[in-house]
Amino acid sequence: MTRRHGYPHPMPSPGKRWYHITFGTHGSWLPGDPRGFRAKHAKVYSSGDHHHPPPPGEHAELLKHSKKLQPHTVIIPKPVLKQVGQAIVACAKQYAYRINAVSVSPMHVHLLIELPTANTISEVGKMKRHASRAVSDKMPGRIWAKGCGVKTIKDQTHQVNTFNYIIKHVDHGAWVWRFRDESDEDVSG
């Protein structure tokens, strides 16, 4: 197992689990998206996903309709990425949640975080609200899409791979933070 970046927290606390949480900005991944998508309540599924895209134009009409309903995509400006990330980290610390890594890109966020097994999604909602309020002077209005992706970390190998995946987002211009020696150091500067 490869360890990078001083990885600190392998085991979850009692009553908690490690999760890979993802959430996007409002309008960043619409039904009909050519990267693939999943609609709520199994109404419509594309035949692909972002790793294996569906055939071109598979749901072109659905995407066209979605863009009429949501014509603007929220994009977090580069100078604001760090402030959003620091707000997420601060909120996690306020609730005493251990957090190992965060990446904030212009249209999505990744977290490797230890959360209670109950009410996981509502806890993520607190972090999204906290981040929105922290940048409301620069980005008034709605920032985040509804919901979030929640993947339970299965074992230590999965956790380390997820950690490395999140940290690697710095290579694509994301603001990245990692837990290291109880400091607030970020890797992207």
Side-chain angles (χ1 to χ4, degrees):
M1 172 172 20
T2 304
R3 290 182 180 261
R4 288 174 44 188
H5 306 295
Y7 193 75
H9 296 303
M11 301 302 296
S13 303
K16 296 181 181 178
R17 295 190 95 163
W18 284 103
Y19 295 98
H20 178 194
I21 305 292
T22 56
F23 52 92
T25 60
H26 188 59
S28 62
W29 204 307
L30 299 172
D33 194 293
R35 297 171 289 182
F37 65 96
R38 298 289 182 262
K40 284 187 179 183
H41 310 297
K43 291 179 183 176
V44 181
Y45 282 161
S46 78
S47 63
D49 60 30
H50 66 287
H51 293 294
H52 304 93
E58 180 178 65
H59 293 284
E61 289 301 313
L62 178 58
L63 181 60
K64 187 176 174 182
H65 176 72
S66 297
K67 285 184 176 181
K68 282 182 184 175
L69 297 175
Q70 176 54 49
H72 304 290
T73 299
V74 174
I75 298 173
I76 303 169
K78 187 134 179 89
V80 180
L81 296 177
K82 182 175 184 175
Q83 190 176 354
V84 168
Q86 288 175 327
I88 290 168
V89 171
C91 185
K93 287 183 176 184
Q94 176 184 342
Y95 290 98
Y97 297 146
R98 294 191 301 175
I99 186 166
N100 279 344
V102 179
S103 73
V104 181
S105 299
M107 293 193 298
H108 70 284
V109 171
H110 289 271
L111 302 168
L112 180 55
I113 188 168
E114 183 188 62
L115 294 170
T117 54
N119 302 319
T120 303
I121 293 174
S122 66
E123 296 305 305
V124 175
K126 290 177 186 177
M127 288 179 263
K128 289 165 69 174
R129 281 189 300 279
H130 190 81
S132 293
R133 290 179 185 133
V135 298
S136 62
D137 59 329
K138 296 173 184 86
M139 296 184 70
R142 185 173 182 178
I143 296 176
W144 307 113
K146 290 181 182 177
C148 61
V150 178
K151 290 184 183 175
T152 302
I153 299 298
K154 297 173 192 154
D155 55 32
Q156 190 173 8
T157 300
H158 184 202
Q159 189 178 29
V160 170
N161 289 341
T162 301
F163 178 82
N164 291 334
Y165 171 76
I166 293 171
I167 294 296
K168 194 152 180 60
H169 280 73
V170 74
D171 298 342
H172 303 287
W175 176 84
V176 173
W177 178 92
R178 63 168 181 239
F179 183 100
R180 188 167 79 180
D181 302 326
E182 298 292 327
S183 72
D184 288 330
E185 177 183 342
D186 62 67
V187 236
S188 54

